[in-house]
Amino acid sequence: MLSSGCMLVYLIVQGWGPREISVTYKWLSLTLGVHVNIAKQMLYHYLQQKRNESSGTPLHATYLVSGKCVENGSTCHKVSVVREDKLDAVKAKMDMTISVHVYSVQRAELKDSSPLYNTDYDTVKENLKNCNKYSAIRCAAAVSLSSAELQRAQEMALVPPVEKEISKPGLNENTSATSKPSAKQPAGIMGMFASKNASKSQESSKEVKTEQKEDSSLVETSKSKTASKANPMSNFFGKSAQKKADEKPNKSIKEEMDGSSTALATASMKQSQTSPKSEIDIKEEQSKVSNALKVESKDTRNKTKRPEVVDCDDEKMESQQKKRRRIKKPQPDSSDDEVVPDSPPVPNVHTPSPKKQVTREPVSHQEESSEVKRRKRRRVLKSNTFVDEDGAFVTEKGYVSESYSESEEEPEPNSQAKDSSSLKQSFGKRKEEKKEKSQKKTSTANKPTKQPSIMGFFKKK
Amino acid sequence: MATLTRQDLNFGQVAADILCEFLEVAIHLILYVREIYPSGIFQKRKKYNVPVQMSCHPELNQYIQDTLHCVKPLIEKNEAEKVVVVIMDKKHHPVERFVFEISQPPLLSISSETLLSHVEQLLRAMILKISVCDAVLDNNPSGCTFTVLVHTREAATRNMEKVQVIKDFPWIVADEQEVHMEEAKLIPLKTMTSDILKMQLYVEERTQKT
């Protein structure tokens, strides 16, 4: 079994097969119909074999590392996909390394994580209903929605007007769109991005590092990105969090984290962790959530599916969050032998089972309910003129989802977002919105000094 | 289940739109993977449901968009044979050429239900191939630049010169130096065949790059 697996990996990596020259363990498991742990072992043995031979093409591998570490004084469980050359460094940073296994093998040295996602995409899509068949995580309470429940969920989903439709979700990395430039060579426009994101990271009170597997290791800016992304998430769930957290960023984060299992898992776990409700209530919620969303795989998250649980409002979540922010990522592909962290066992039982998209629903739902309480948003065509860094007048036009309430949002980052969004029309409106929103989110953190008082444009009614 | 022929202008436009969108993403990705520009100007965006790297630099984006805007009418009329992204070293000698050979099937009937998702799948595969292509290519010297060439059938360029598609964005006939590469190695990357378009991507690489 192992040898045939190794043979297959060999063929693929040599580029002979119809597949691309990158093999992830998930793809291997689904293609061969084996348990994920066996697939991981296959990759490992193949790697050993090839490297012992010390001939021919060099192979590169990525690893999934999970363990405990202390960030900002709070212990958290961190899961990341790292390149081989960074493996030791990442392991050293962790207090306790819980699991390490081969994530993928390829011939090319990967510059970023997109090929990893791309590799899995088609295979997972084909096996949508049972892409967890070979995984190591099980939950008896997780069952598919019946069609009646599905209908109800869809109806509920149509209610919030500001909901954006996402036709094809996926575990995509577009979440990193906003902050990737921030940490790198800031200059001109980039400088704008950088200052916003940096301040946003600083202000994040709860630094929930999303377990964006691919990003955390392969993209250096992941730290700022995840922090900035996590901020609205954590704000969202914590009542005591800054009130000025926008809905917009939450929504953008929600969309951005479409397939981001980890972030969503975190959110859901946080929800379970921080809720003052009894454990039983939490369990109910979670099981409902997981029931509602079992069907969805990470790739076909149907945005209209919503849990019937209306209870997960953030008014019930008082943000005590003494407990750790970072929860064990309920990845379906985590190994069985991983030590379960000391989170309350009850919620843990339920949250790992749902697919990665699961937690998106409570997120979006919460957003929506809190939106009703907090602010209204609508999309308006805005045109504003301002003086940019170089002292030039810039006029930007674009659709912006605007908040009615007195928000400290600065139009300038909006404009910047709009500017780039107008240039990138062809890449999908949704991307633009995400960018805008995350820009808007970052803007709440600080006030650019160069912005003249232009808020008159934005005060409606 | 519409049956469209290539004579149907709408169909030609649809194919051209899809192809130009893809070429834009592909060019950005090539610039990222081959490190023509520093990776700081790129950010992840989503296309065909997978993450791709696109540049944020407005002038670069504008240049690429203008280029493809001019190429699109050629594709619509099926006059474009190849679109080539040439990477040149400091002396303007090409070191790599990413050749997209495109053609459209003459007559076909498409069932719109599965067509676009199938095409999307194929384009996704091409993007994946581009993003891992540095396994098969040698490293480029530093200070490379890029340019886009279009090989057209027959005399389509004469028409192009008469009608400038975009003002102040003229196209000129390429130098021999840019078109031909000495000691070229051919590395095929990917082929795709679908109802609305056929495309082949290969790389011509100079044996000695420095």
Side-chain angles (χ1 to χ4, degrees), chain B residues 144-158:
Chain B
C144 282
T145 57
F146 83 103
T147 185
V148 179
L149 309 177
V150 180
H151 294 241
T152 58
R153 305 180 210 280
E154 298 142 16
T157 39
R158 272 190 239 143

Side-chain angles (χ1 to χ4, degrees), chain A residues 297-310:
Chain A
S297 85
K298 64 180 176 179
D299 289 316
T300 58
R301 181 188 44 89
N302 180 356
K303 191 178 196 300
T304 59
K305 271 198 189 178
R306 307 198 53 89
E308 303 164 48
V309 174
V310 188

Side-chain angles (χ1 to χ4, degrees), chain A residues 144-256:
Chain A
S144 299
L145 272 181
S146 71
S147 54
E149 288 173 331
L150 198 54
Q151 274 287 52
R152 252 180 298 164
Q154 280 177 353
E155 283 156 23
M156 281 174 52
L158 296 173
V159 166
V162 291
E163 201 93 284
K164 271 159 215 71
E165 45 144 350
I166 300 178
S167 54
K168 276 214 197 168
L171 189 84
N172 41 46
E173 306 290 352
N174 53 2
T175 55
S176 57
T178 57
S179 51
K180 172 135 202 264
S182 63
K184 314 239 177 180
Q185 306 152 17
I189 289 178
M190 290 305 145
M192 182 75 57
F193 287 48
S195 60
K196 293 295 174 297
N197 276 334
S199 58
K200 187 173 157 185
S201 310
Q202 288 153 20
E203 94 160 336
S204 74
S205 55
K206 307 185 208 175
E207 197 176 287
V208 177
K209 282 251 177 67
T210 64
E211 293 92 339
Q212 286 253 332
K213 304 200 295 195
E214 279 93 18
D215 283 340
S216 55
S217 57
L218 301 181
V219 176
E220 295 96 4
T221 55
S222 63
K223 296 285 192 259
S224 65
K225 163 182 73 79
T226 53
S228 60
K229 244 187 335 172
N231 188 20
M233 288 292 284
S234 58
N235 286 343
F236 183 75
F237 282 101
K239 246 330 198 1
S240 74
Q242 298 135 7
K243 288 299 181 187
K244 58 180 181 173
D246 294 333
E247 299 319 298
K248 259 315 125 169
N250 281 343
K251 218 180 350 231
S252 70
I253 299 304
K254 167 184 72 169
E255 291 185 16
E256 290 180 7

